[in-house]
């Protein structure tokens, strides 16, 4: 052996990895592969965890058709029917959070059918999320039913998108102390996506054991890659693709922001907080933005600058 070595080199002393009394995992930590390894190394084969929240999801509307019903779509010739994209999207969003999604299908705009479906959902889940039926139309019955079943805490929000968003709590039918949480989200798919992220996701995370006060989405300074028009009536959560560029976060709009245009959430990884007002916020302005961790596809996390920048 022609190599000199220090005494004790490459030898791990007992207890040298973790000091006595050192905290290795905190309450509320999400258990993944690395955490399982840590627990095993510490000699813990079993630990107490929170149950997965059960989240019931259903869509409302006479005009809806399931994406698998190609015959109905062909017979309609594109008139009157709308493919239900909210329900599969919401189920996927719930799965991303690590909760259990319960797909309860679609319900017609009938007060009797809606009440039966909502009562079934409330019996089977900790959280109920509906899309549609919460605005002011003649067939929007969700709020009337909720006022009979429980307590509506709010039925409108001064925000864009998502003005008719509704939140209620409903007593447990079996007398248990934990009330059921109910989120009535708008039917427009962009509004549905954004309000889920801002309202339902933090509540589901709390049920999963995320400590109170812990941010679900990092709130950061973001530089606008282009001008953004403000809304005179409501503050807006503008969908963008954010990237890390030259030591700062730069966000590019996903385009036309109409609440029915679901393409505006594709690959969106940041919601810009645009204040209400008149006029346009110019390119280069720094605003606040929420980084959407867990966004679908490559939207999760910041992107590098595009080629050529």
């Amino acid at each position: 052996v022609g190599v000199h070595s220090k005494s004790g080199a490459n030898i791990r002393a007992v207890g040298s990895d973790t000091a006595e009394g050192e905290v290795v995992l905190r309450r509320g930590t999400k258990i993944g592969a690395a955490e399982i390894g840590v627990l095993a190394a510490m000699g813990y084969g079993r630990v107490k965890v929170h149950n997965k929240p059960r989240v019931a999801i259903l869509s409302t509307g006479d005009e809806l058709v399931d994406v698998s019903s190609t015959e109905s779509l062909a017979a309609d010739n594109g008139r009157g029917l709308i493919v239900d994209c909210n329900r599969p999207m919401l189920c996927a969003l719930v799965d991303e959070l690590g909760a259990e999604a319960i797909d309860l299908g679609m319900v017609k705009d009938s007060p009797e059918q809606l009440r039966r479906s909502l009562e079934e959902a409330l019996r089977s889940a900790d959280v109920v999320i509906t899309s549609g039926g919460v605005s002011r139309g003649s067939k929007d019955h969700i709020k009337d039913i909720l006022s009979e079943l429980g307590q509506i805490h709010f039925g409108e929000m001064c925000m864009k998108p998502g003005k008719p968003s509704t939140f209620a709590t409903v007593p447990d039918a079996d007398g248990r102390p934990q009330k059921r949480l109910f989120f009535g989200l708008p039917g427009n798919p962009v509004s549905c996506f954004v309000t889920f992220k801002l309202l339902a996701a933090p509540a589901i995370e709390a049920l999963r054991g995320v400590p109170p006060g812990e941010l679900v989405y990092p709130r950061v300074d973001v530089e606008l890659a282009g001008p953004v028009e403000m809304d005179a009536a409501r503050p807006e959560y503008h969908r963008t693709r954010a990237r890390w560029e030259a030591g700062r976060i730069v966000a590019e709009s996903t385009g036309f922001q109409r609440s029915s245009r679901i393409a505006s959430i594709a690959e969106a990884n940041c919601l810009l907080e645009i204040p209400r007002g008149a006029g346009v916020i110019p390119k280069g302005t720094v605003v606040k933005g929420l980084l959407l961790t867990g966004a679908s596809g490559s939207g999760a996390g910041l992107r590098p600058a595009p080629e050529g920048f």
Side-chain angles (χ1 to χ4, degrees):
V1 178
V3 178
H4 295 285
S5 178
K6 294 180 180 180
S7 177
N10 301 314
I11 297 174
R12 308 292 185 258
V14 174
S16 61
D17 284 349
T18 305
E20 184 177 357
E22 178 183 347
V23 176
V24 292
L25 291 176
R26 299 188 182 278
R27 183 188 297 271
T29 298
K30 183 177 180 180
I31 302 299
E35 290 74 21
I36 289 174
V38 171
L39 290 168
M42 296 291 133
Y44 290 96
R46 298 172 64 88
V47 293
K48 291 183 178 181
V49 297
H50 289 266
N51 290 328
K52 279 188 175 183
R54 292 168 55 85
V55 183
I57 297 166
L58 54 87
S59 295
T60 69
D62 295 338
E63 73 281 9
L64 296 181
V65 61
D66 190 83
V67 66
S68 62
S69 302
T70 53
E71 294 180 0
S72 298
L73 290 172
D76 181 59
N77 291 320
R79 298 187 299 270
L81 294 181
I82 297 174
V83 176
D84 177 18
C85 61
N86 287 347
R87 188 164 42 91
M89 176 178 69
L90 289 170
C91 287
L93 287 168
V94 169
D95 287 341
E96 286 180 355
L97 292 176
E100 179 185 351
I102 305 170
D103 186 350
L104 294 183
M106 301 175 297
V107 187
K108 297 293 185 182
D109 289 321
S110 158
E112 294 77 18
Q113 289 186 39
L114 273 172
R115 186 182 182 100
R116 286 195 298 270
S117 296
L118 295 185
E119 288 175 341
E120 176 191 351
L122 290 163
R123 284 192 298 269
S124 63
D126 306 298
V127 181
V128 176
I129 301 177
T130 61
S131 66
V134 290
S135 194
R136 299 184 179 183
S138 60
K139 293 190 175 184
D140 293 327
H141 305 298
I142 294 287
K143 291 176 183 175
D144 290 338
I145 297 171
L146 282 178
S147 64
E148 298 172 0
L149 297 177
Q151 179 184 0
I152 296 177
H153 298 276
F154 60 80
E156 277 192 353
M157 300 186 71
C158 185
M159 61 179 277
K160 181 181 180 181
K163 181 179 179 180
S165 301
T166 299
F167 172 65
T169 52
V170 180
D172 183 82
D174 297 324
R176 289 170 291 190
Q178 181 65 47
K179 292 184 177 181
R180 300 299 186 243
L181 307 183
F182 189 103
F183 294 91
L185 306 184
N188 277 316
V190 173
S191 302
C192 185
F193 175 87
V194 171
T195 52
F196 176 91
K197 287 287 189 179
L198 297 179
L199 304 177
I204 294 171
E205 290 283 62
L207 291 177
R208 287 185 57 249
V210 174
E214 184 171 311
L215 293 176
V216 177
Y217 311 116
R219 188 169 184 258
V220 297
D221 290 329
V222 181
E223 181 180 313
L224 299 182
V228 172
E229 186 174 356
M230 293 183 287
D231 185 276
R234 289 176 287 162
E236 180 178 13
Y237 288 93
H238 193 102
R239 282 75 69 200
T240 62
R241 291 181 287 268
R243 62 179 184 265
W244 184 255
E245 179 182 313
R248 69 201 193 283
I249 300 174
V250 179
E252 177 184 5
S253 175
T254 57
F256 188 32
Q257 298 283 298
R258 186 168 59 193
S259 60
S260 61
R261 183 178 177 263
I262 194 168
S264 72
I265 63 174
E267 299 186 335
N269 62 354
C270 182
L271 296 176
L272 298 185
E273 299 177 0
I274 304 300
R276 63 181 174 185
V280 174
I281 302 177
K283 173 184 177 179
T285 302
V286 175
V287 300
K288 292 294 184 182
L290 301 176
L291 295 180
L292 298 180
T293 53
S296 58
S298 58
L302 292 177
R303 308 160 177 275
E307 187 177 348
F309 277 68

